[in-house]
Amino acid sequence: MTINIIDDAVTSEDAVADVVNSSAVGVRARLWRLHPTDVREIAITASAEILRLEAIRVAAVDTLTLNPDEQVLCYRGTGEWLANHTMLQISAGRRIAALGKALRSFPEIENQFDAGELTFEHAALIVAFCESPPKGMPDAALPYCRDTLLAAASGTEATTVKLRYAISVLEHMFESDDTPPSEDTDRNELRISPTLNGRIAVRGDFDGPTGEMLLSALSSLSMPTPATDGTPDKRPAAKRNADAMAELIRRYLDNAATGIDGGQRPHLNVHINAKDLAFHRECAGAISPSTGRARTTEASDDDDLDTLDLDMQHLDVGHMPWMGPLSVGRTRMIACDCMLGAVLLDENGAPLDVSPLKRLVTAAQRTALIARDKGCAFPGCDCVPAWTDAHHIKHWAEGGPTVMDNLVLLCRSHHTLMHRKPGFTGQWEIRIGADHLPWFIPPPGIDPDQKPRRSTTRL
């Protein structure tokens, strides 16, 4: 009996090795003859093999970058050479070459990547963070931030969303006035080009909140719809998305003439703890002057930590269901003028009850704001009401009421400016004067006397 079990195990291992190490031609027929246990093992083993080969390819390409021969020198770069001799796109070849070059400066990341414990995408994200860390982060914290990200990216439970979340927390802990790339609206692009056959080609690159709104809007419209006879929807995902976009545009044009000026605010779902929305908590970790190690604020002076403690259940950043993490600053800006629904949580963070959605700024209040401010109220801005948000001068999460004397219309650019921290160009302040009109006090760097101003564009 014991001998038979050993023989079966050896046979199973041989079958797995035979499939993984042989050609994929006819592999499906061979897989059908195996037990599902063996097929599962083949899938796992093949995945590990892919990681191993990816690390070898990155190392080989980087070695050619450092020591090219005549064939490689014929191309503009090693990435282009790789793309021209494989089925890779040039952009993919360039990413491989770029990662290989970047890993030279970070041996710890390289070692984990070479060991098959880090995917290509996760290695690229961690390298990008280490190459351009937050400006507010001291140099001594970089090794421990790196180790924290490596821990978040390792293991079978590691996901890109989890890693991006950890990066967002670190960026918030050492937050500077720089807008995170995922929230930088200045990078947004939408290219619409007519084609020769009478169609249009669309290509875009948007910030995370815009992407969240787009994905939320398309979600229900792009779901597979069975035919009347019950047969599955045969449309591929790209076709369903295109059909959903066309339907979204049609519905907008059908209803754009109805409603108030500026329309209803976008349905953007962001989840965040109420106390974190109300207050920007102090840095979750401090750097010990003597060791440079990161430690939690609750730890004593002797309790230095080797890695930053990131409790994924209690992070002070927002979270979008589609696009993932969002900084507290941007979340607070969105919350100024939104559809608000309260979710009551127990001590473990489990939902107990949900209140119906309600508007923080009602249609009547928005109409009154348009009559008072006539558009963006920031001095010198001529943005029309349709492109403005209602900004809470004292944020509602900090006890600021949703009343006319605590509201002002701001365009998205100036709304973003008002939610920036000191140090960008200085912090502007808004006050409602005795005339019940909004007055703007510039920072000393713009006006040493800080003389109050108000918009005179439409007076």
Side-chain angles (χ1 to χ4, degrees):
M1 179 66 69
T2 304
I3 294 176
N4 289 339
I5 293 176
I6 294 175
D7 287 343
D8 289 344
V10 172
T11 301
S12 176
E13 293 175 1
D14 290 344
V16 171
D18 178 64
V19 172
V20 172
N21 297 325
S22 61
S23 170
V25 176
V27 68
R28 293 179 182 273
R30 283 180 283 158
L31 290 174
W32 274 107
R33 293 195 293 268
L34 299 177
H35 192 276
T37 303
D38 296 332
V39 178
R40 292 203 311 269
E41 184 62 29
I42 288 171
I44 294 173
T45 303
S47 297
E49 189 70 4
I50 289 171
L51 293 179
R52 184 183 71 85
L53 293 173
E54 185 69 85
I56 293 174
R57 179 168 64 176
V58 169
V61 169
D62 190 48
T63 301
L64 285 174
T65 300
L66 295 171
N67 187 28
D69 61 7
E70 292 183 355
Q71 290 194 30
V72 175
L73 289 172
C74 292
Y75 296 87
R76 297 181 61 186
T78 316
E80 285 83 345
W81 166 84
L82 180 64
N84 276 273
H85 289 79
T86 63
M87 290 187 286
L88 291 173
Q89 297 295 316
I90 291 179
S91 58
R94 287 174 176 169
R95 287 197 299 270
I96 291 170
L99 180 60
K101 179 181 179 181
L103 287 175
R104 300 176 207 162
S105 303
F106 304 101
E108 295 82 5
I109 304 175
E110 180 184 25
N111 292 339
Q112 192 158 321
F113 179 63
D114 291 347
E117 300 173 0
L118 200 62
T119 67
F120 182 97
E121 292 78 10
H122 292 174
L125 282 172
I126 298 174
V127 163
F129 176 88
C130 293
E131 286 185 323
S132 301
K135 290 184 178 179
M137 187 181 77
D139 294 339
L142 181 58
Y144 307 100
C145 292
R146 178 204 62 216
D147 292 344
T148 298
L149 296 181
L150 287 174
S154 63
T156 57
E157 296 183 357
T159 64
T160 302
V161 171
K162 179 181 177 182
L163 178 58
R164 285 184 54 226
Y165 217 106
I167 291 173
S168 294
V169 173
L170 293 177
E171 289 174 341
H172 178 54
M173 288 171 60
F174 304 105
E175 194 166 10
S176 69
D177 295 312
D178 291 339
T179 303
S182 61
E183 300 172 18
D184 188 356
T185 57
D186 290 340
R187 300 188 183 190
N188 288 1
E189 292 182 341
L190 180 63
R191 303 182 186 277
I192 305 177
S193 307
T195 63
L196 294 177
N197 61 354
R199 301 175 62 84
I200 64 167
V202 180
R203 182 179 180 181
D205 180 14
F206 296 98
D207 60 284
T210 302
E212 178 75 12
M213 289 188 289
L214 178 61
L215 293 174
S216 297
L218 295 178
S219 176
S220 60
L221 299 176
S222 61
M223 294 179 63
T225 305
T228 53
D229 59 358
T231 56
D233 194 335
K234 297 182 179 179
R235 296 175 300 165
K239 180 64 168 64
R240 296 200 310 270
N241 285 336
D243 292 344
M245 177 63 76
E247 176 65 13
L248 190 66
I249 297 171
R250 185 190 67 79
R251 292 187 184 185
Y252 170 77
L253 294 176
D254 285 347
N255 297 281
T258 63
I260 61 173
D261 191 9
Q264 184 174 326
R265 301 270 68 80
H267 293 273
L268 172 60
N269 296 319
V270 181
H271 303 163
I272 189 169
N273 189 295
K275 64 183 178 64
D276 295 331
L277 186 61
F279 305 102
H280 279 283
R281 296 191 302 179
E282 294 298 324
C283 177
I287 302 300
S288 169
S290 59
T291 66
R293 292 183 175 180
R295 53 188 173 84
T296 60
T297 53
E298 293 81 11
S300 67
D301 290 340
D302 298 328
D303 292 335
D304 292 328
L305 303 178
D306 288 337
T307 58
L308 296 172
D309 181 17
L310 300 183
D311 184 353
M312 294 299 172
Q313 300 299 321
H314 302 88
L315 299 180
D316 52 351
V317 293
H319 179 78
M320 298 178 291
W322 287 100
M323 297 297 294
L326 183 68
S327 68
V328 174
R330 189 61 183 271
T331 304
R332 288 163 63 93
M333 190 183 85
I334 293 170
C336 274
D337 190 4
C338 69
M339 296 289 289
L340 177 67
V343 181
L344 180 63
L345 306 178
D346 64 15
E347 66 276 7
N348 298 316
L352 295 176
D353 193 16
V354 181
S355 68
L357 288 173
K358 65 176 182 180
R359 282 207 57 77
L360 283 183
V361 179
T362 66
Q365 286 176 318
R366 187 168 177 83
T367 300
L369 285 170
I370 292 172
R372 186 193 73 185
D373 298 341
K374 302 179 179 62
C376 179
F378 196 89
C381 185
D382 59 358
C383 188
V384 297
W387 296 93
T388 59
D389 298 326
H391 169 68
H392 282 70
I393 298 173
K394 179 180 181 182
H395 198 277
W396 65 267
E398 297 175 348
T402 306
V403 297
M404 289 295 293
D405 279 353
N406 193 46
L407 296 172
V408 61
L409 289 183
L410 295 175
C411 67
R412 182 54 55 90
S413 177
H414 288 122
H415 197 183
T416 301
L417 175 65
M418 296 309 302
H419 280 269
R420 291 285 184 96
K421 287 185 173 58
F424 173 60
T425 55
Q427 184 69 50
W428 285 76
E429 183 182 351
I430 307 177
R431 296 177 186 170
I432 298 295
D435 54 3
H436 296 285
L437 298 175
W439 291 83
F440 293 75
I441 294 87
I446 293 178
D447 180 4
D449 297 330
Q450 293 190 282
K451 182 179 179 180
R453 310 176 184 183
R454 69 175 304 258
S455 178
T456 57
T457 305
R458 299 175 184 84
L459 295 182

